[in-house]
Tab-separated table of all heavy atoms in Angstrom:
chain	number	residue	atom	x	y	z
A	34	ILE	N	3.533	10.377	-9.603
A	34	ILE	CA	2.956	10.576	-10.871
A	34	ILE	C	1.995	11.770	-10.914
A	34	ILE	O	1.974	12.571	-11.759
A	34	ILE	CB	2.105	9.297	-11.366
A	34	ILE	CG1	3.209	8.259	-11.558
A	34	ILE	CG2	1.302	9.577	-12.518
A	34	ILE	CD1	2.690	6.873	-11.715
A	35	ILE	N	1.190	11.975	-9.916
A	35	ILE	CA	0.233	13.017	-9.726
A	35	ILE	C	0.964	14.351	-9.701
A	35	ILE	O	0.695	15.386	-10.346
A	35	ILE	CB	-0.779	12.914	-8.621
A	35	ILE	CG1	-1.812	11.841	-8.888
A	35	ILE	CG2	-1.498	14.180	-8.330
A	35	ILE	CD1	-2.709	11.379	-7.823
A	36	GLY	N	2.060	14.349	-8.831
A	36	GLY	CA	2.873	15.568	-8.787
A	36	GLY	C	3.546	15.994	-10.016
A	36	GLY	O	3.641	17.170	-10.539
A	37	PHE	N	4.012	14.944	-10.867
A	37	PHE	CA	4.658	15.117	-12.137
A	37	PHE	C	3.617	15.687	-13.173
A	37	PHE	O	3.738	16.695	-13.865
A	37	PHE	CB	5.268	14.045	-12.731
A	37	PHE	CG	5.853	14.119	-14.043
A	37	PHE	CD1	7.057	14.829	-14.175
A	37	PHE	CD2	5.233	13.616	-15.163
A	37	PHE	CE1	7.593	14.999	-15.476
A	37	PHE	CE2	5.817	13.784	-16.338
A	37	PHE	CZ	6.871	14.480	-16.616
A	38	LEU	N	2.439	15.040	-13.180
A	38	LEU	CA	1.448	15.598	-14.109
A	38	LEU	C	0.882	16.945	-13.732
A	38	LEU	O	0.629	17.749	-14.688
A	38	LEU	CB	0.300	14.506	-14.105
A	38	LEU	CG	0.552	13.155	-14.849
A	38	LEU	CD1	-0.666	12.223	-14.683
A	38	LEU	CD2	1.003	13.284	-16.162
A	39	GLY	N	0.701	17.239	-12.472
A	39	GLY	CA	0.271	18.441	-11.948
A	39	GLY	C	1.272	19.543	-12.459
A	39	GLY	O	0.816	20.679	-12.931
A	40	ALA	N	2.410	19.323	-12.163
A	40	ALA	CA	3.460	20.208	-12.581
A	40	ALA	C	3.547	20.436	-14.039
A	40	ALA	O	3.731	21.570	-14.622
A	40	ALA	CB	4.898	19.830	-12.056
A	41	SER	N	3.449	19.318	-14.754
A	41	SER	CA	3.552	19.414	-16.246
A	41	SER	C	2.442	20.140	-16.812
A	41	SER	O	2.574	20.934	-17.740
A	41	SER	CB	3.562	18.056	-16.834
A	41	SER	OG	4.737	17.364	-16.400
A	42	ILE	N	1.240	19.689	-16.454
A	42	ILE	CA	-0.120	20.346	-17.070
A	42	ILE	C	-0.396	21.691	-16.534
A	42	ILE	O	-0.377	22.683	-17.303
A	42	ILE	CB	-1.233	19.462	-16.901
A	42	ILE	CG1	-0.977	18.045	-17.695
A	42	ILE	CG2	-2.552	19.988	-17.355
A	42	ILE	CD1	-1.956	16.913	-17.348
A	43	PHE	N	-0.625	21.829	-15.281
A	43	PHE	CA	-1.024	23.029	-14.671
A	43	PHE	C	0.219	24.011	-14.466
A	43	PHE	O	-0.043	25.190	-14.445
A	43	PHE	CB	-1.714	22.820	-13.301
A	43	PHE	CG	-3.136	22.192	-13.525
A	43	PHE	CD1	-3.122	20.822	-13.313
A	43	PHE	CD2	-4.175	22.975	-13.914
A	43	PHE	CE1	-4.419	20.192	-13.405
A	43	PHE	CE2	-5.432	22.281	-14.178
A	43	PHE	CZ	-5.492	20.876	-13.859
A	44	GLY	N	1.422	23.504	-14.213
A	44	GLY	CA	2.444	24.263	-14.076
A	44	GLY	C	2.806	25.179	-15.360
A	44	GLY	O	3.247	26.339	-15.170
A	45	ASN	N	2.695	24.587	-16.476
A	45	ASN	CA	3.061	25.206	-17.713
A	45	ASN	C	1.753	26.102	-18.210
A	45	ASN	O	1.852	27.067	-18.658
A	45	ASN	CB	3.485	24.273	-18.859
A	45	ASN	CG	4.709	23.744	-18.464
A	45	ASN	OD1	5.572	24.259	-17.867
A	45	ASN	ND2	5.090	22.454	-18.808
A	46	TRP	N	0.687	25.388	-18.043
A	46	TRP	CA	-0.658	25.965	-18.717
A	46	TRP	C	-1.084	27.258	-17.898
A	46	TRP	O	-1.341	28.216	-18.494
A	46	TRP	CB	-1.712	24.911	-18.571
A	46	TRP	CG	-2.927	25.348	-19.248
A	46	TRP	CD1	-3.188	26.005	-20.379
A	46	TRP	CD2	-4.348	25.178	-18.641
A	46	TRP	NE1	-4.463	26.211	-20.531
A	46	TRP	CE2	-5.222	25.665	-19.404
A	46	TRP	CE3	-4.672	24.612	-17.466
A	46	TRP	CZ2	-6.561	25.796	-19.281
A	46	TRP	CZ3	-5.960	24.576	-17.183
A	46	TRP	CH2	-6.972	25.078	-18.046
A	47	LEU	N	-0.910	27.201	-16.612
A	47	LEU	CA	-1.336	28.282	-15.829
A	47	LEU	C	-0.312	29.177	-15.201
A	47	LEU	O	-0.568	30.024	-14.493
A	47	LEU	CB	-2.377	27.854	-14.718
A	47	LEU	CG	-3.640	27.222	-15.055
A	47	LEU	CD1	-4.305	26.598	-13.814
A	47	LEU	CD2	-4.482	28.135	-15.807
A	48	ASN	N	0.893	28.836	-15.570
A	48	ASN	CA	2.147	29.456	-15.122
A	48	ASN	C	2.100	29.357	-13.523
A	48	ASN	O	2.316	30.285	-12.730
A	48	ASN	CB	2.180	30.843	-15.509
A	48	ASN	CG	3.674	31.464	-15.247
A	48	ASN	OD1	4.537	30.736	-15.080
A	48	ASN	ND2	3.796	32.779	-15.188
A	49	TRP	N	2.010	28.151	-13.064
A	49	TRP	CA	1.877	27.872	-11.622
A	49	TRP	C	2.792	26.902	-11.315
A	49	TRP	O	2.655	25.551	-11.118
A	49	TRP	CB	0.487	27.228	-11.319
A	49	TRP	CG	0.040	27.084	-9.886
A	49	TRP	CD1	0.712	27.461	-8.678
A	49	TRP	CD2	-1.061	26.173	-9.481
A	49	TRP	NE1	0.121	26.915	-7.613
A	49	TRP	CE2	-1.101	26.186	-8.041
A	49	TRP	CE3	-2.040	25.558	-10.072
A	49	TRP	CZ2	-1.954	25.556	-7.336
A	49	TRP	CZ3	-2.987	24.818	-9.359
A	49	TRP	CH2	-2.969	24.867	-7.957
A	50	PRO	N	4.140	27.340	-10.879
A	50	PRO	CA	5.253	26.493	-10.640
A	50	PRO	C	5.178	25.438	-9.589
A	50	PRO	O	5.713	24.234	-9.656
A	50	PRO	CB	6.452	27.421	-10.364
A	50	PRO	CG	5.813	28.787	-10.135
A	50	PRO	CD	4.473	28.770	-10.588
A	51	ASP	N	4.249	25.718	-8.562
A	51	ASP	CA	4.145	24.727	-7.384
A	51	ASP	C	2.845	23.992	-7.564
A	51	ASP	O	2.501	23.307	-6.496
A	51	ASP	CB	4.127	25.432	-6.175
A	51	ASP	CG	5.413	26.230	-5.678
A	51	ASP	OD1	6.490	25.695	-6.190
A	51	ASP	OD2	5.350	27.171	-5.056
A	52	ALA	N	2.422	23.767	-8.789
A	52	ALA	CA	1.258	22.968	-8.972
A	52	ALA	C	1.372	21.531	-8.607
A	52	ALA	O	0.437	20.852	-8.006
A	52	ALA	CB	0.669	23.196	-10.312
A	53	GLY	N	2.522	21.032	-9.010
A	53	GLY	CA	2.745	19.594	-8.713
A	53	GLY	C	2.713	19.293	-7.216
A	53	GLY	O	2.217	18.221	-6.720
A	54	ALA	N	3.304	20.134	-6.342
A	54	ALA	CA	3.367	19.966	-4.954
A	54	ALA	C	2.009	20.071	-4.363
A	54	ALA	O	1.581	19.230	-3.440
A	54	ALA	CB	4.289	20.978	-4.314
A	55	VAL	N	1.186	20.961	-4.806
A	55	VAL	CA	-0.207	21.128	-4.368
A	55	VAL	C	-0.961	19.852	-4.656
A	55	VAL	O	-1.719	19.314	-3.768
A	55	VAL	CB	-0.809	22.455	-4.866
A	55	VAL	CG1	-2.315	22.432	-4.554
A	55	VAL	CG2	-0.106	23.629	-4.410
A	56	PHE	N	-0.813	19.372	-5.837
A	56	PHE	CA	-1.692	18.267	-6.239
A	56	PHE	C	-1.158	16.992	-5.488
A	56	PHE	O	-2.096	16.108	-5.180
A	56	PHE	CB	-1.628	17.990	-7.836
A	56	PHE	CG	-2.525	18.914	-8.541
A	56	PHE	CD1	-2.127	20.093	-9.029
A	56	PHE	CD2	-3.972	18.537	-8.763
A	56	PHE	CE1	-3.027	20.958	-9.750
A	56	PHE	CE2	-4.801	19.346	-9.443
A	56	PHE	CZ	-4.219	20.662	-9.896
A	57	SER	N	0.089	16.829	-5.373
A	57	SER	CA	0.566	15.608	-4.617
A	57	SER	C	0.125	15.703	-3.232
A	57	SER	O	-0.133	14.534	-2.675
A	57	SER	CB	2.065	15.426	-4.859
A	57	SER	OG	2.734	16.516	-4.221
A	58	ILE	N	0.199	16.790	-2.531
A	58	ILE	CA	-0.088	16.837	-1.210
A	58	ILE	C	-1.670	16.472	-0.946
A	58	ILE	O	-2.194	15.958	-0.108
A	58	ILE	CB	0.127	18.229	-0.588
A	58	ILE	CG1	1.619	18.479	-0.456
A	58	ILE	CG2	-0.557	18.449	0.750
A	58	ILE	CD1	2.121	19.779	-0.112
A	59	ALA	N	-2.544	17.069	-1.965
A	59	ALA	CA	-3.980	16.790	-1.988
A	59	ALA	C	-4.174	15.269	-2.137
A	59	ALA	O	-5.072	14.712	-1.538
A	59	ALA	CB	-4.628	17.526	-3.069
A	60	ALA	N	-3.370	14.677	-3.053
A	60	ALA	CA	-3.470	13.182	-3.323
A	60	ALA	C	-3.254	12.401	-2.077
A	60	ALA	O	-3.939	11.473	-1.648
A	60	ALA	CB	-2.698	12.745	-4.462
A	61	VAL	N	-2.184	12.735	-1.325
A	61	VAL	CA	-1.785	11.979	-0.074
A	61	VAL	C	-2.888	12.296	0.946
A	61	VAL	O	-3.171	11.365	1.675
A	61	VAL	CB	-0.275	12.457	0.344
A	61	VAL	CG1	-0.069	11.957	1.882
A	61	VAL	CG2	0.671	12.062	-0.612
Side-chain angles (χ1 to χ4, degrees):
I34 291 169
I35 289 175
F37 177 75
L38 290 176
S41 299
I42 295 171
F43 291 101
N45 292 330
W46 181 47
L47 296 175
N48 195 21
W49 184 14
D51 293 331
V55 171
F56 279 93
S57 62
I58 291 169
V61 169

